[in-house]
Amino acid sequence: MTKALPQGSTIGILGGGQLGRMLSVAASRLGFKTHIFEPGANPPAAHVADTVTTAPYSDLNALKGFAKSVDVVTFEFENVPADALDAIESIRPVLPNRNALATSQDRIVEKDFLTGLGLKVAPYANVETADDLKTAVETVGAPSILKTRRFGYDGKGQSRLKTNDDAVNAWGELGETPSVLEGFIDFSHEVSVIGARSQSGEVVCFDPGENVHRDGILHTTTLPANLKSSQRMDAVILTGQILNALDYVGVMGVELFVTPTGLIVNEIAPRVHNSGHWTQNGCVIDQFEQHIRAVAGWPLGDGKRHSNVVMTNLIGDEVLDVEALSTDASVGLHLYGKAEAKAGRKMGHMNKLTGPAS
Ligand code: AMP
């Protein structure tokens, strides 16, 4: 695709969760229509989209019908099955490209790619069999984390090894699925960069945010992050390097561990990212608009931050504080319209502005 999509064009989005919902709102602000493809009934994005197809990703006819009705397809999650991509790509472009998806879907492929770029990752070893596990324990050792190669999120599909003796249990806990043993990094804190690349190869990064997790789920992202200017520069440059190497189009989240010997890449997410939600109130153009601009072939916004911000996820019952939160003039409230506030479910988030950008 070389020409910018005109207003009135339709953006297809695979996945109808909160990320699909916020992408849909951003698309609509730019005069686009959206069509959501989502297997589950009544997804959050359905409330703000023009069209919704409810079908599983194995329904290739439904995917083809969806593709024909849109001008370009993007996604809100990285585990889009390869067959589904084939069906869509025979009809319409999918952005970001499938190489980016394939790279981030598998932790070993991802780490090989990152180290190939000269970036630092945790020491790691591939574990596909009980024998691999023995070798991995000899090379990586403990403390370490065994993570499934695929389908992990919010700390799921992971088991920690305090000593080498924990290896066999961890392997059983993960169901003896192909995994990676990762050396435990003694980091001082975690940051992430939300970067974007346009179809013409222009790269724009938002300021790195500092992330705190609770029970394996992102709790807060704080801007500015506690980083020296050299570290901030490093974080942004390495994100640009990743985006360029993948010939990427769209927004990506890059999670980093901060250590005394430099930044270590934890993982990349080929999509808008929870740790980029602060941009909705901290920047004129947020990550969702930036992503829509990129996939629509538009120029990117400059991504400048105008305020200091703390983003806090509202998980489960926390969303019931809405009345109190909505009277605070410094808080931008973002609720996802989910019916049931189940424990551990992301129901919304708030961005508290804490002063002018510093
Ligand atoms: P992940 O699903 O890989 O993002 O891991 C979830 C969280 O577990 C991270 O945000 C870290 O807090 C922690 N973690 C993951 N990998 C490591 C590691 N190699 N060393 C130390 N902590 C880790």
Side-chain angles (χ1 to χ4, degrees):
M1 201 167 51
T2 49
K3 276 198 0 214
L5 288 182
Q7 290 174 52
S9 304
T10 303
I11 313 238
I13 302 173
L14 298 170
Q18 62 267 18
L19 301 180
R21 176 184 173 101
M22 292 184 275
L23 282 170
S24 202
V25 169
S28 135
R29 279 206 319 262
L30 296 182
F32 295 119
K33 298 189 181 107
T34 54
H35 184 162
I36 303 288
F37 190 102
E38 159 68 45
N42 192 27
H47 314 154
V48 294
D50 293 86
T51 315
V52 180
T53 295
T54 309
Y57 290 107
S58 55
D59 186 342
L60 301 186
N61 282 332
L63 283 165
K64 285 181 184 164
F66 160 78
K68 281 182 194 148
S69 77
V70 304
D71 296 285
V72 64
V73 174
T74 188
F75 45 84
E76 64 148 19
F77 71 116
E78 52 269 55
N79 290 316
V80 183
D83 289 353
L85 284 178
D86 289 342
I88 297 168
E89 278 188 330
S90 64
I91 296 164
R92 290 287 180 271
V94 177
L95 294 171
N97 65 51
R98 67 188 302 158
N99 180 32
L101 257 182
T103 304
S104 63
Q105 279 175 348
D106 184 316
R107 290 187 190 271
I108 291 283
V109 177
E110 181 177 286
K111 288 182 194 305
D112 288 348
F113 162 73
L114 293 167
T115 50
L117 290 180
L119 303 177
K120 284 192 206 161
V121 302
Y124 67 101
N126 187 18
V127 178
E128 288 183 38
T129 62
D131 274 351
D132 288 346
L133 182 65
K134 272 191 206 144
T135 318
V137 167
E138 278 158 23
T139 52
V140 177
S144 50
I145 309 186
L146 191 67
K147 301 182 181 178
T148 56
R149 281 177 63 163
R150 301 171 70 93
F151 303 119
Y153 70 99
D154 284 346
K156 295 198 170 56
Q158 302 192 4
S159 182
R160 298 199 175 198
L161 276 67
K162 285 202 182 101
T163 71
N164 290 2
D165 297 339
D166 295 334
V168 173
N169 264 348
W171 177 236
E173 232 176 79
L174 299 191
E176 302 188 1
T177 41
S179 299
V180 55
L181 185 67
E182 244 186 70
F184 198 82
I185 302 295
D186 190 14
F187 57 81
S188 54
H189 52 297
E190 296 182 68
V191 299
S192 57
V193 178
I194 308 301
R197 188 168 175 277
S198 71
Q199 294 189 22
S200 61
E202 174 195 15
V203 170
V204 172
C205 292
F206 293 104
D207 229 1
E210 183 169 336
N211 300 321
V212 172
H213 294 83
R214 215 167 55 180
D215 303 328
I217 303 176
L218 182 66
H219 174 44
T220 55
T221 302
T222 300
L223 277 289
N226 172 20
L227 290 173
K228 292 188 283 203
S229 61
S230 58
Q231 292 170 315
R232 189 164 285 131
M233 185 76 84
D234 248 11
V236 165
I237 288 174
L238 74 82
T239 301
Q241 223 183 322
I242 294 170
L243 291 168
N244 284 329
L246 291 170
D247 194 19
Y248 195 86
V249 172
V251 162
M252 168 183 278
V254 178
E255 296 179 15
L256 303 164
F257 297 139
V258 183
T259 77
T261 53
L263 299 175
I264 293 179
V265 185
N266 176 29
E267 62 181 7
I268 60 176
R271 54 172 170 76
V272 286
H273 199 253
N274 194 169
S275 69
H277 291 358
W278 66 268
T279 59
Q280 291 171 307
N281 299 93
C283 302
V284 172
I285 290 169
D286 65 31
Q287 65 163 347
F288 300 99
E289 177 171 340
Q290 199 74 305
H291 186 76
I292 296 296
R293 282 173 172 242
V295 300
W298 286 29
L300 299 178
D302 82 352
K304 193 169 184 300
R305 181 169 64 83
H306 55 66
S307 298
N308 291 348
V309 194
V310 180
M311 188 289 304
T312 305
N313 270 332
L314 301 172
I315 311 278
D317 282 355
E318 286 163 8
V319 77
L320 304 178
D321 291 337
V322 149
E323 255 185 79
L325 296 170
S326 58
T327 56
D328 183 338
S330 65
V331 165
L333 202 50
H334 302 262
L335 305 178
Y336 308 151
K338 294 182 184 176
E340 222 187 319
K342 282 194 198 150
R345 179 181 270 180
K346 291 177 181 169
M347 301 298 293
H349 64 273
M350 59 177 186
N351 289 326
K352 185 170 176 65
L353 300 188
T354 53
S358 63

